[in-house]
Amino acid sequence: MLSHHSLQFLRNLEQNNNREWFHANRKDYDQTKEEFEGFCQEILTGIAQFQENLLNTTVKSCILRINRDIRFSADKSPYKKYLAAGFGPGGKSSGKVDFYLHIQPNGESFLGGGMWAATSAQLASFRQEIDYSPHILKGIIEDDIFKHYFNEIHGEKVKKMPKGYAIDHPEIELLKYKQLFFVHKYSDDELLTKNFAAEVINGCQILKPYLDYINNLFYGEEN
């Protein structure tokens, strides 16, 4: 279970994003990290009940480092202002499309997943599948339960119709997507409830058919 302590640590970190402050408050970070690991273990255990390829995954392999890679960034803040985990076979570096959990104060926490950094070949496969069998994807993402829970779509679209497809194609909007990432946001109050882990696990179960669709399309296997 997450606590006020963890959210307050993240708020304080956002206001004091420097190494001196971080090291002076290392004990608070260690407590926050331990709490987040315990919470993510609950999530991982729950997901593994309906996704067997996570059974041998360790929770530490799922959690993203709090240190930012600032080598090529204009923003030199050394730390992320959020906690995050990617739940996939073997952890966050599975190479597949996985469940992503993001914990950030002030209503910026969310569960999400989907097509994000597709290669040209993967994007071509996605568009071909939409052209040939749009009903499969639409049957997943237009389901009432899915639409109600994942009511935010993040992702860029091309401005013009992709090459090789008619401008009056019936699935023109889906074909334009370069990224198709679905998100469900959580309030700070929701984060602090006793059943929040169960809520996230339920969200993962709703998201699973879409991730299975993308993983099968891109990698020839379900996630």
Side-chain angles (χ1 to χ4, degrees):
M1 181 177 170
L2 299 175
S3 73
H4 286 285
H5 175 276
S6 292
L7 293 186
Q8 190 58 50
F9 173 80
L10 292 172
R11 292 188 188 100
N12 293 341
L13 177 60
E14 184 174 7
Q15 299 300 316
N16 303 276
N17 201 326
N18 60 77
R19 289 182 176 84
E20 292 75 17
W21 181 90
F22 189 88
H23 288 297
N25 292 271
R26 183 77 197 199
K27 287 185 178 180
D28 284 338
Y29 168 66
D30 288 342
Q31 182 179 335
T32 297
K33 181 182 178 183
E34 182 178 354
E35 186 174 285
F36 187 59
E37 285 182 359
F39 178 75
C40 287
Q41 183 61 65
E42 288 186 70
I43 303 301
L44 182 60
T45 300
I47 301 173
Q49 299 304 307
F50 53 83
Q51 189 140 315
E52 292 183 359
N53 61 7
L54 294 180
L55 285 171
N56 296 319
T57 298
T58 64
V59 69
K60 289 189 176 182
S61 69
C62 296
I63 295 175
L64 279 68
R65 296 175 72 243
I66 198 166
N67 301 75
R68 294 181 64 244
D69 184 351
I70 60 175
R71 292 173 298 171
F72 308 107
S73 175
D75 178 5
K76 298 303 180 182
S77 302
Y79 306 107
K80 299 167 185 171
K81 55 186 179 182
Y82 58 86
L83 303 171
F87 299 97
K92 60 183 179 293
S93 302
S94 70
K96 304 296 192 300
V97 181
D98 301 329
F99 304 102
Y100 175 74
L101 178 65
H102 182 105
I103 301 297
Q104 184 176 345
N106 305 319
E108 295 301 320
S109 300
F110 66 87
L111 171 68
M115 183 173 70
W116 189 254
T119 65
S120 296
Q122 289 171 340
L123 196 53
S125 295
F126 173 78
R127 288 173 175 156
Q128 184 179 70
E129 189 67 16
I130 298 302
D131 187 30
Y132 291 172
S133 306
H135 64 282
I136 299 175
L137 176 60
K138 292 173 74 175
I140 296 169
I141 65 175
E142 293 183 359
D143 175 79
D144 288 343
I145 295 175
F146 188 97
K147 283 199 304 181
H148 177 74
Y149 202 84
F150 291 97
N151 51 13
E152 284 192 33
I153 302 176
H154 292 193
E156 294 182 4
K157 285 184 173 183
V158 295
K159 293 181 179 179
K160 296 182 180 180
M161 195 62 177
K163 187 176 179 180
Y165 297 97
I167 197 167
D168 60 348
H169 194 289
E171 305 302 337
I172 182 171
E173 293 307 316
L174 277 176
L175 288 168
K176 283 184 176 181
Y177 275 108
K178 294 168 59 180
Q179 303 159 328
L180 191 58
F181 192 93
F182 289 89
V183 165
H184 178 89
K185 283 192 172 182
Y186 302 106
S187 69
D188 290 2
D189 287 342
E190 287 179 286
L191 264 60
L192 301 175
T193 58
K194 291 182 179 180
N195 66 343
F196 182 55
E199 178 65 29
V200 173
I201 294 165
N202 176 62
C204 290
Q205 197 158 17
I206 295 171
L207 185 60
K208 176 178 163 57
Y210 173 58
L211 299 194
D212 285 348
Y213 173 89
I214 295 295
N215 279 304
N216 186 55
L217 189 60
F218 288 176
Y219 308 108
E221 60 184 61
E222 294 187 349
N223 189 10

